[in-house]
Amino acid sequence: MNASHTDRHQRPLYFWCASGLALLATAIHFYIIHRYSSGMPYRDDFDAIFGFLNLLPDLTTWQKFLHLFNQNNEHRIFLDNLISLSMVSLTGKFDFVWMIWIGNIGWFLIVILFWKYAKNNQISFVEFSPLVIGMMCLSHYELMTMAMAGVQHYFQVFFCILSTYYLVSGNRNLALLFFTCAIFSAGGGICLAPVIFLYYFVKKEWCSLFISIAVVSTVLVVYFPLLGYVQPVGHPNVLLALKAPLYLITYAMGFLGSIGNTYKFSIGLGIIFTVFLVFKWKFLYVKYPFLFWLTVYLLVTAMTNAITRGAIGIRTGQGSRYTTYSVIFTSILYLTCLFSASSIKIRLRTAQVGLFLSLVIFSYWFSHGQENIAARYDDLESGVLQHPTLEYAIPTLQRAIDLGYYYPTKMPSPPIVLKATE
């Protein structure tokens, strides 16, 4: 009686603690974005945003439409371009802080989508709290306050997850629509194509398989030959990575476990997480197909990244922006543990362990991530142009100022000719 009575009193306390900590982690995440978002351009912002907007006055209407699909490195960033154009058209100005917040919406939509899925599968908010805390960690600090990359990466991942959600829900048209949105947000969306094909092949839905192949092929023809895809200079040789399959697997494991941050620990986490989910594959495939096919998508993404970037070095797969995939991978593992719990008591213990580990992850990354975000903010606010090639950055920024759609929030260094604001 005493143990049962104590347990009943502990549950409300745990409920308020878990829920409160999840809301606190979200508030901290919001605050960090607000505190360290600068109105100055950073690295790829010069090429992707100014490089896009600066050319528009000299283009015809048709050329402007095609320009929306322009290539930035190996990606076509239609969504970045569309948002930039819309912002300038509606307000007459481009604002990097606004763009940063728009990009982060993509990440918050991923959290909301996971909550919708969890809620539909009888997961309470208290049980979901560890996932919120984990996804609010600052591991992807590189993206959180970068305008161009935030929109590009967060929304690409969101569209891929949404496409997978509709794929297993039986809505082929929406699955293909969001696949198309993903690939024109960032080139990584192409990793979803084999997942879609494999899904319909395994399900023996031949009509849907044929339609999917036709749609994906059309998208790829437009993406590459019709729009004139150009191989980026200095892009790593894929063949070098393919010659070492063990290296590729190691790279992929480090990629999937990059939430661990350190080199060996990330690889170890990736191996442990992957082995666990492989062990649970049949359980997920039968009862929770969304998690199963989302895992397949992450594995394809990890291997694709290993093949295309592995020649640069194994640590490139453990960069800050790629921890988004690792956070999602970890979230899948946590939900799998909850779903496979054999009793209410084990499920409660799973949620409690999940809460503890999520707090460890959040605390570790708060220190590490906040330090990096603050350092970038200080660099930007100093006015020193943050671009590897000043010979490109200076005239590009000058052109944006001359066109009147952007005015630096800090005095640039090296000096730029600034027009008086009206």
Side-chain angles (χ1 to χ4, degrees):
M1 288 293 291
N2 289 339
S4 177
H5 182 74
T6 301
D7 185 58
R8 284 197 301 269
H9 278 278
Q10 285 178 342
R11 288 184 182 180
L13 177 62
Y14 174 73
F15 171 85
W16 288 111
C17 285
S19 301
L21 288 169
L23 294 175
L24 178 61
T26 304
I28 291 173
H29 194 97
F30 271 92
Y31 172 76
I32 292 294
I33 298 170
H34 168 72
R35 171 65 178 81
Y36 295 110
S37 291
S38 174
M40 297 293 286
Y42 178 75
R43 298 182 70 87
D44 285 352
D45 290 337
F46 285 90
D47 309 76
I49 295 174
F50 290 154
F52 168 73
L53 292 172
N54 284 352
L55 294 177
L56 289 177
D58 302 324
L59 302 178
T60 65
T61 301
W62 175 246
Q63 289 173 331
K64 288 178 181 178
F65 173 74
L66 292 178
H67 191 48
L68 284 168
F69 299 90
N70 75 326
Q71 185 180 335
N72 179 256
N73 292 323
E74 68 269 38
H75 306 282
R76 297 200 184 280
I77 52 172
F78 175 84
L79 185 60
D80 270 280
N81 293 338
L82 183 62
I83 293 172
S84 300
L85 177 60
S86 300
M87 190 185 300
V88 173
S89 298
L90 293 173
T91 69
K93 303 291 181 182
F94 181 87
D95 191 309
F96 282 100
V97 175
W98 286 13
M99 192 75 161
I100 287 168
W101 278 108
I102 292 171
N104 278 277
I105 288 173
W107 185 246
F108 298 132
L109 288 174
I110 293 173
V111 180
I112 292 170
L113 180 58
F114 265 95
W115 167 235
K116 177 183 178 181
Y117 175 77
K119 188 177 180 182
N120 289 343
N121 285 279
Q122 289 74 54
I123 297 290
S124 67
F125 183 75
V126 174
E127 293 172 321
F128 189 74
S129 295
L131 190 147
V132 175
I133 296 169
M135 296 189 84
M136 289 298 106
C137 78
L138 308 185
S139 67
H140 39 103
Y141 57 83
E142 181 185 3
L143 298 171
M144 289 173 60
T145 56
M146 186 173 177
M148 170 266 170
V151 171
Q152 177 198 41
H153 187 80
Y154 285 141
F155 274 97
Q156 173 215 274
V157 176
F158 170 65
F159 289 139
C160 284
I161 295 174
L162 196 57
S163 177
T164 305
Y165 180 83
Y166 283 114
L167 181 70
V168 301
S169 300
N171 196 324
R172 182 192 64 224
N173 293 339
L174 284 180
L176 292 173
L177 171 64
F178 288 115
F179 158 76
T180 305
C181 291
I183 198 171
F184 280 105
S185 296
I190 199 172
C191 297
L192 195 60
V195 179
I196 295 173
F197 297 158
L198 183 61
Y199 176 84
Y200 288 126
F201 178 81
V202 170
K203 295 291 184 179
K204 297 182 180 179
E205 297 181 19
W206 309 120
C207 180
S208 292
L209 176 60
F210 174 78
I211 292 173
S212 297
I213 292 174
V215 171
V216 171
S217 298
T218 301
V219 170
L220 295 182
V221 167
V222 172
Y223 193 95
F224 290 102
L226 288 186
L227 290 174
Y229 183 83
V230 178
Q231 181 76 9
V233 178
H235 203 272
N237 189 339
V238 171
L239 296 177
L240 293 177
L242 289 174
K243 290 179 180 178
L246 183 60
Y247 172 79
L248 291 181
I249 294 172
T250 305
Y251 185 105
M253 292 302 100
F255 179 92
L256 292 170
S258 57
I259 189 68
N261 194 31
T262 60
Y263 168 62
K264 292 182 179 179
F265 188 49
S266 293
I267 294 172
L269 280 182
I271 293 172
I272 293 170
F273 290 175
T274 302
V275 169
F276 176 81
L277 291 174
V278 168
F279 180 74
K280 290 286 186 179
W281 79 267
K282 193 171 184 179
F283 169 76
L284 293 176
Y285 178 79
V286 174
K287 293 189 174 182
Y288 302 98
F290 171 62
L291 297 183
F292 174 83
W293 289 102
L294 190 55
T295 301
V296 173
Y297 157 70
L298 292 175
L299 291 172
V300 171
T301 300
M303 287 305 298
T304 302
N305 200 275
I307 292 170
T308 57
R309 296 186 181 275
I312 302 176
I314 199 165
R315 292 181 184 272
T316 59
Q318 297 167 18
S320 171
R321 69 177 61 194
Y322 295 133
T323 63
T324 51
Y325 296 106
S326 185
V327 169
I328 294 167
F329 201 56
T330 307
S331 300
I332 293 173
L333 183 139
Y334 171 68
L335 290 176
T336 301
C337 289
L338 278 182
F339 290 139
S340 58
S342 57
S343 68
I344 295 176
K345 185 176 181 180
I346 293 176
R347 183 157 161 160
L348 177 60
R349 293 291 178 263
T350 300
Q352 290 173 338
V353 172
L355 180 63
F356 171 75
L357 292 177
S358 67
L359 290 173
V360 170
I361 292 171
F362 186 89
S363 299
Y364 171 81
W365 280 107
F366 177 79
S367 173
H368 187 68
Q370 191 267 349
E371 179 183 352
N372 282 275
I373 291 177
R376 178 198 289 176
Y377 178 79
D378 291 341
D379 288 342
L380 290 170
E381 292 296 287
S382 72
V384 177
L385 298 185
Q386 301 298 311
H387 192 276
T389 310
L390 289 179
E391 292 77 8
Y392 172 82
I394 294 172
T396 299
L397 178 58
Q398 186 68 65
R399 168 72 170 167
I401 295 169
D402 292 343
L403 290 174
Y405 70 82
Y406 175 74
Y407 193 87
T409 55
K410 296 294 178 181
M411 179 60 67
S413 177
I416 301 290
V417 178
L418 302 178
K419 293 182 177 180
T421 55
E422 296 180 359

